[in-house]
Structure formats: C-alpha cells, structure tokens
Amino acid sequence: MRLTEPAHPHLDLAILVQRLAAGEKAWVASPVAERRDLLIQVLEAVDANAAEWVRIASQIKQLDPASPLVGEEWISGPYAVIGYAHALQDTLKRVADGAEVLAGYNISSAPGDRLAVQVLPHHTFDKLLLNGFHAEVWTRPGITEEQLHNGAGLGQRRPEQTNGVALVLGAGNIFSIPPLDVLYQLYAENRTVVLKLNPTTDPLLEIFRAIFKPMIDRNLVEIISGGAEVGSALANHSGITSVHMTGSEATHDAVVWGVAKEAAAAKAAGTPKLDKPMTSELGGVCPVIVVPGEWSAADLRFQAEHVATQRLHNGGSNCIAGQIVILSADWAQKDDFLAALRQALKAAPARPAWYPGCDVRVQTVRDLHPTAEAVGGTPERTLLTGLDLADARESAFSTEYFGPVLGVAELPGTGAEFLDVAVAAANDRLRGTLGANIIVHPRTIKTLGSRLRAAIADLRYGTIGVNAWTGVGFLIPRATWGAYPGHTLEDVQSGIGVVHNALLLDNTERTVVTGPFRPSPRSVLHGEKSISPKPPWFVTNRTAATTGRLLTGFAARPRWRALPAIFASALRG
C-alpha cells in the first residue's frame, strides 16, 4: 500500500516501517550515553527553530503576532519540549553513570499507603521562577521505596530490550504534544517511532523534521502527514507493534474498535479491531472545585481570572480545560464570585475560535441549554449556570466541549462537608479522569487540616491542582501526565498510561500540583510563601509573549544573567 499524503510523496508504507525496524536494531546497540547525546541535539534543534515554530503556530491559531496570547505558543510549544529534554537528559546521565535516578529527591509518604516524590522545585532556578509552586508524583498504593528506586529509569535500565516500532497519532491542539509523545516512546518505552501528524499541525511538519533530524537520520524517528486513512493503515500494519494517541475518546474508539456497526459488533464480541497495545491521553470533563471561604474583592477577581484561564487558554481547545465549576450553594460570596467570573470571561482578550468545529460545538450546547449566557468577549464564550449534578441526562457532565463553554453546578455545604460531596460528584458524575482543580483560601486550608490531603487522595484524577491549574502539571517535566490508572479499551475515558515523566518512574498514580492563592505582592502582604506575580499562562497576562520567549531561551541555556529580564517582564504582566 502506498501512502496518499505523506511527507515524501513516493514513500512506501512497507519501506517506512522497515527502516524504523532497522533503526530499532541500531537503537539496541546504542549505549545510554549516546542516546543522551542525541537527546541534547534535539534540544538544541528546538532552541534553534523556536521562533519559527511559534510564528507558524500563531498563524495556525490565527493570532495577531503582536498579541500577548502568542505567549501560549512559546510556553506550550518549544518551552515545554526544551524543559522536558533537559530533565530527561539528566535522568539518562544518571543511568549511564550507574547512579541512582532518585538520588537527592525528597520522597515522603502520601495518604493511602502511597509514596510522594517531590518533582518541583527541583533546583534553585525553579525556586526563583516558580516560587510558591510545588509538585509531587504519587505512586500507586502499596509500592515500597525499594520498588520505586528499582523501577526508576524504565526502558533505559535495560536498553538492549527494545519493543518494536510505535505509531504516535499526534495531537492537533497543543503543539508540544507530538514531539513529547515521540520522546516518551523512544526513551521510556524503548521503541522507534513514526509520528503521524494531525492535519491541523501539517504546517509544522518541516519544523518537527528539523528538530528530529538527528534521529530521523538514524532511522529512529519518522514524521509524516496524512488523513485518517493514513493513520488507520499504519495502525493496522503488521510491522507496527504499538499505538499511542492524544485526542478524543471517539477517535480512540474508532482506531481500536472501528466505526458504526463494525464497532458495535466488535465491542459486543470483545474483539478489538486493533490487535496491538494502545496507550492514550484523551481529555475529559475537568472539574474546578471552589471551596467556600471568606475572600477579599481582589481574591474574587484573581480567582475568577484563574478559572477563566482554565477555560479560555488556547480558545478552550485543551484536553485539560476546566469545564464544570462546582460551587457551594451555601457560600455567602457565591453570587459575587459568579459576577467576577462573568466579567473575567467577557474581559479576556478576544481570539478566533480557531479549532475546527468549535462554532458547531458551541451552538449545539446552546441549543441544549436555552438559558445559556453569551457572556461577551467573543461570540462563542458561553456560561451555563444552574446545572444539576443529579441529572443523569446532562450532557455538560459527559461531553468534552473543546471550546469556550463553562458550566457551573452547585452543591450544599461548607468546609470539609462541601469538599467531600464535591469530590464524590467529580468522581462519580463527570466523564474522564485527566485533571481536577481545587481552589481554596489559605485560612480554609488551615481549617481543613489533613482533610484536604485526604480529599486529594480520594479524587480519581491523573493530575490534581490546588490553587494551580492542572495545566501547570503538563509543563512540569518530571511530573507524570495522563489519566488516573485503571481504564480499559472498553471504557477508556481519559486514556491509558502516562507520558512526560522525565524521571521514568514506574507504578505512578497521579501528580499533585499546588500554587499560591494570591499573586505577588498580595501574597507577601498576606503571609504566603510566594513571590510569584500573575503567571504567564493567564490569558489576562499583558506580557505573556515576551515572558514566554525569554523563558524559552532560558530553558535552553539556563544562566543567572538572563533572570533580570525575565523578572522584569513577568512583573509587568
């Protein structure tokens, strides 16, 4: 069979897979130190191509080159890949040197017989640039510290045991995802990789090929474009030994089970169309649990912007976008918060509904909800209030909207009582387990005591953010990224397996990220241990583009003399 829309017009499918199989044999013979050198070459290539990457990404997303929103493309693009490559090469160096991967990392206990590995802050620059942010990777229950140490390094502990040729079906919304997924297959899973781009990202094909040239030249990686028929042909080719994808649950099921009657029959018989391992990251309906407390007017405004960012970042086209805000019906400031949220949604910078089908999805939601509010700012921004978590028919709890639509549901109670029922509702009523957010005032955190950490343990989500959007977890290279474990092909929800995970940890369950409730200087004035200003990923950050560009350059070449310009830009945001 001949590919119809590949990067190379005359590339035959059999030849492509054959080359990658030959590359696998070469990978077997490559010592870890050599593999690390290749990774560093990729890092340098990302740095060299970063500006052009961002220029093309901004065109794809129809962003004005002068818009602060271009900062999203710096931070969720080359910055994320460079940071990950730096962290992964450090792990490879430890493995190559025969050192403990987790030497120097703080390992503590977590609720439910789990262990927690602190992955942020990792070094002094983390403490300065992400001051007040903290992240841990939690293991599954019952894993011992000895097992944790022995498993760290995954495929690089046994580099000679390779696992064939992987197909990566690339995401079309966040442009660091395809290269990050390729690196994880190559290093964590010890597979050579063909990346089939989502058509949305086709304009970045040559950038990605330039970035991976050191690996393409060695037949370790190939990158092609094409439609669904190309992806299907590759997925079902006998020379492909596994498939990984980032996308929707519907696309996953089409790959695994087929479509229409074929899919129904295959599911009924328990015989997948796909006859090889499949891992995935598929998004879902992400909750934002707002724990009631006594907030100032500034707190209400800032946290409303925080929630608006969780929905509007990338135009709402994020697998980790907050979709359902869970409020206390008994919170005295509930109406004040909703007023601030409406204003934040309206006032956020306008941007086109760039992702294909967004306008149709928004109109479908509005047709189902006659009381939907068009809050302004752009025609698509929509707020749904009065959602009933007891209503089993409510589509907002089961359908990922992938656009600027935010729902609000209320539950009774305050304090720990409210938190417990909100956690239960998030677990039991919302489709998917990729990420959950909790917003809680520092005084309320003190009042809750150990109940907060117990609630975090009870949440069945792969990343949990406390006063920090779970999207921050995507940017932390040593954190894991993926659904809560336990999904199956028959009921995949947010996917199977993890990615990122630069420490190459085994038996992980989730990442927990915490951040400051207030930005500096209010955080300092109120006694919070944080000097971080408004984060550059906020959609309302006025210097996000400059800060994102400076952070990307710093990530590639960390140096003290670069910090003053970053701080100056961040403080103006």
Side-chain angles (χ1 to χ4, degrees):
M1 174 180 178
R2 194 171 297 278
L3 295 177
T4 57
E5 303 174 65
H8 308 295
H10 304 295
L11 181 62
D12 187 274
L13 180 61
I15 294 173
L16 172 81
V17 177
Q18 188 178 49
R19 281 178 40 225
L20 290 167
E24 182 194 2
K25 294 178 182 177
W27 194 235
V28 169
S30 300
V32 175
E34 182 180 315
R35 297 177 178 196
R36 174 175 176 262
D37 290 342
L38 273 175
L39 179 62
I40 292 172
Q41 290 177 48
V42 169
L43 185 160
E44 292 169 346
V46 176
D47 179 39
N49 288 277
E52 183 65 3
W53 173 339
V54 171
R55 186 189 68 80
I56 295 171
S58 299
Q59 287 183 340
I60 294 171
K61 298 187 180 181
Q62 303 167 38
L63 292 174
D64 182 338
S67 170
L69 293 172
V70 172
E72 294 182 5
E73 299 314 307
W74 281 105
I75 293 172
S76 68
Y79 171 82
V81 178
I82 290 170
Y84 179 71
H86 255 304
L88 183 57
Q89 67 81 24
D90 181 63
T91 296
L92 296 178
K93 185 177 189 305
R94 293 183 181 215
V95 173
D97 293 346
E100 283 281 345
V101 170
L102 293 176
Y105 284 85
N106 180 46
I107 301 172
S108 59
S109 62
D113 194 26
R114 297 172 173 92
L115 295 173
V117 182
Q118 180 182 307
V119 294
L120 185 80
H122 175 63
H123 45 55
T124 300
F125 290 140
D126 282 346
K127 293 175 182 177
L128 291 171
L129 294 171
L130 286 168
N131 190 264
F133 288 85
H134 181 274
E136 299 173 336
V137 174
W138 289 14
T139 66
R140 302 188 190 204
I143 298 300
T144 66
E145 195 161 335
E146 181 181 12
Q147 289 174 308
L148 180 64
H149 280 278
N150 289 342
L154 292 178
Q156 299 312 301
R157 297 180 67 87
R158 296 169 296 280
E160 72 285 353
Q161 296 181 15
T162 54
N163 294 296
V165 181
L167 166 65
V168 169
L169 298 172
N173 61 328
I174 293 293
F175 298 152
S176 62
I177 293 176
L180 288 171
D181 287 352
V182 167
L183 292 175
Y184 196 75
Q185 289 297 316
L186 193 62
Y187 286 95
E189 306 292 354
N190 232 8
R191 298 176 175 126
T192 56
V193 188
V194 54
L195 166 63
K196 204 289 286 182
L197 295 178
N198 183 298
T200 305
T201 61
D202 282 353
L204 284 165
L205 173 63
E206 294 309 317
I207 292 292
F208 288 159
R209 288 187 59 79
I211 287 168
F212 281 103
K213 186 177 187 301
M215 294 173 173
I216 292 173
D217 288 347
R218 291 165 175 79
N219 294 325
L220 302 174
V221 172
E222 186 52 87
I223 306 172
I224 64 171
S225 59
E229 74 285 356
V230 175
S232 177
L234 281 165
N236 292 287
H237 189 279
S238 60
I240 297 293
T241 57
S242 65
V243 179
H244 176 81
M245 68 159 288
T246 299
S248 71
E249 187 176 353
T251 301
H252 170 275
D253 284 355
V255 173
V256 173
W257 301 100
V259 295
K261 292 181 179 180
E262 175 193 29
K267 274 197 170 183
T271 54
K273 169 187 171 185
L274 193 72
D275 62 351
K276 57 201 65 172
M278 175 87 169
T279 55
S280 51
E281 189 265 89
L282 306 175
V285 177
C286 298
V288 184
I289 298 171
V290 180
V291 183
E294 189 176 340
W295 297 10
S296 70
D299 294 336
L300 290 166
R301 287 192 299 271
F302 178 76
Q303 292 301 340
E305 287 185 32
H306 192 185
V307 174
T309 288
Q310 295 179 34
R311 181 70 262 180
L312 299 181
H313 184 279
N314 200 35
S317 300
N318 282 335
C319 55
I320 198 62
Q323 180 161 312
I324 300 296
V325 180
I326 303 178
L327 294 179
S328 166
D330 301 319
W331 186 23
Q333 294 179 291
K334 177 193 68 177
D335 291 339
D336 293 334
F337 178 75
L338 284 173
L341 182 57
R342 286 185 178 92
Q343 178 59 28
L345 291 168
K346 177 181 179 180
R351 65 178 302 159
W354 72 274
Y355 199 82
C358 178
D359 55 343
V360 175
R361 289 190 297 275
V362 170
Q363 190 57 52
T364 299
V365 172
R366 291 181 177 179
D367 290 344
L368 287 171
H369 299 86
T371 60
E373 301 176 40
V375 293
T378 68
E380 299 80 21
R381 290 179 190 170
T382 303
L383 184 65
L384 310 175
T385 56
L387 299 178
D388 183 0
L389 284 160
D391 184 355
R393 301 168 299 173
E394 176 53 67
S395 65
F397 306 143
S398 58
T399 303
E400 182 185 11
Y401 287 149
F402 221 67
V405 179
L406 183 65
V408 179
E410 298 179 17
L411 290 171
T414 58
E417 175 193 1
F418 168 78
L419 184 58
D420 289 345
V421 296
V423 166
N427 284 339
D428 299 337
R429 288 293 296 118
L430 304 186
R431 184 74 177 170
T433 64
L434 186 63
N437 308 273
I438 300 173
I439 297 175
V440 55
H441 193 285
R443 282 196 301 269
T444 308
I445 291 175
K446 289 182 180 179
T447 301
L448 289 168
S450 62
R451 294 287 293 274
L452 176 59
R453 202 153 168 87
I456 293 169
D458 288 341
L459 273 168
R460 297 192 294 270
Y461 287 82
T463 298
I464 297 167
V466 180
N467 293 336
W469 178 32
T470 44
V472 180
F474 178 92
L475 295 174
I476 300 171
R478 293 173 177 84
T480 54
W481 185 254
Y484 190 80
H487 297 314
T488 63
L489 292 178
E490 291 78 9
D491 184 24
V492 74
Q493 297 207 34
S494 288
I496 297 171
V498 299
V499 290
H500 302 186
N501 185 26
L503 290 172
L504 302 180
L505 300 176
D506 200 6
N507 295 304
T508 60
E509 181 183 70
R510 74 182 83 197
T511 287
V512 179
V513 184
T514 59
F517 182 74
R518 307 175 181 92
S520 178
R522 287 198 306 113
S523 55
V524 177
L525 295 174
H526 287 84
E528 286 189 78
K529 296 179 180 179
S530 171
I531 58 170
S532 288
K534 179 186 289 186
W537 53 83
F538 267 45
V539 294
T540 51
N541 191 301
R542 293 171 295 183
T543 59
T546 302
T547 304
R549 175 177 55 79
L550 292 171
L551 284 171
T552 302
F554 179 85
R557 298 173 303 283
R559 57 214 183 278
W560 287 98
R561 67 178 182 275
L563 292 178
I566 295 174
F567 291 150
S569 179
L571 288 169
R572 292 194 303 270

